[in-house]
Every structure is written in structure tokens, then in C-alpha cells.
Amino acid sequence: MIREFFLGFIKIHILYHAGEEPVYGAELAQELARHGYELSPGTLYPTLHRLHEQGYLDRETRVVDGRARKYYTLTDKGKLALNEARHKIAELVAEVLEGE
Ligand SMILES: [Zn+2]
């Protein structure tokens, strides 16, 4: 159950960072670890794949140091979803953290 909640938070982090600049898997794994989410590649990569399939992320392969790396950026659909999430997060924080 807890894991299921966090996966939602993780997706919002991914959308947010992909909206700031193009991001790739290993970089996101580090960023998420910084936030306290230890994600295995077996969770992260399918999540990125799904966000791409669903049209929230664009994907572009670039060759870096002789290795192909997939970079993700936020699509317009992703921007809309992130904006909607922002409002819901603000509302949730206001309610849940009220009186903390
Ligand atoms: Zn972050």
C-alpha cells in the first residue's frame, strides 16, 4: 500500500524534473534517492516507459561517451498533468499538514 502511494509521488517527481531539463534514468534514480526513494531499475525503467507510452514524456536517444542514453522531456500533456497535480498537492499539503 505504502509503495503504491509513493509511486504516485515518484511519477510527479519525474514529470517535474523532465519539465526542467532532459533527464535520463540513472540521473533520475540518483535524484529520487536524494529524496529518499530507493528505486530499483526494475521499477524505474518500466515507470519511465509507461509515462512515455501514455504521452506524458517525450523520449530521445543520444549517444554519450559511446553509449546510447534515453533522455526524457515533458510533453504538453505532461505539463497539463503536472499543473493539475500541483493544485492537488497544494490542497493536500494544506489539509494534511494543517496544524503540524
Ligand atoms: Zn526531485
Side-chain angles (χ1 to χ4, degrees):
M1 190 54 107
I2 290 281
R3 194 188 144 79
E4 204 179 297
F5 293 156
F6 288 165
L7 199 55
F9 296 168
I10 286 164
K11 284 180 185 171
I12 291 166
H13 270 292
I14 292 172
L15 294 184
Y16 169 75
H17 288 291
E20 294 293 295
E21 58 186 353
V23 287
Y24 59 94
E27 183 186 25
L28 278 171
Q30 271 185 15
E31 170 62 19
L32 289 165
R34 195 174 70 78
H35 289 296
Y37 302 108
E38 297 291 343
L39 242 72
S40 71
T43 301
L44 178 60
Y45 288 96
T47 301
L48 286 171
H49 186 79
R50 220 169 307 124
L51 289 170
H52 173 247
E53 294 270 287
Q54 293 167 342
Y56 297 112
L57 295 177
D58 260 335
R59 189 172 64 196
E60 183 200 347
T61 303
R62 293 187 203 167
V63 178
V64 179
D65 297 328
R67 290 188 57 187
R69 194 183 264 172
K70 291 186 179 84
Y71 280 86
Y72 295 88
T73 47
L74 200 60
T75 62
D76 287 342
K77 183 180 174 180
K79 280 177 198 155
L80 286 175
L82 182 60
N83 263 332
E84 201 174 316
R86 275 198 175 99
H87 293 299
K88 292 194 189 304
I89 289 165
E91 197 182 282
L92 181 70
V93 165
E95 181 165 294
V96 173
L97 297 188
E98 190 189 357
E100 279 282 296

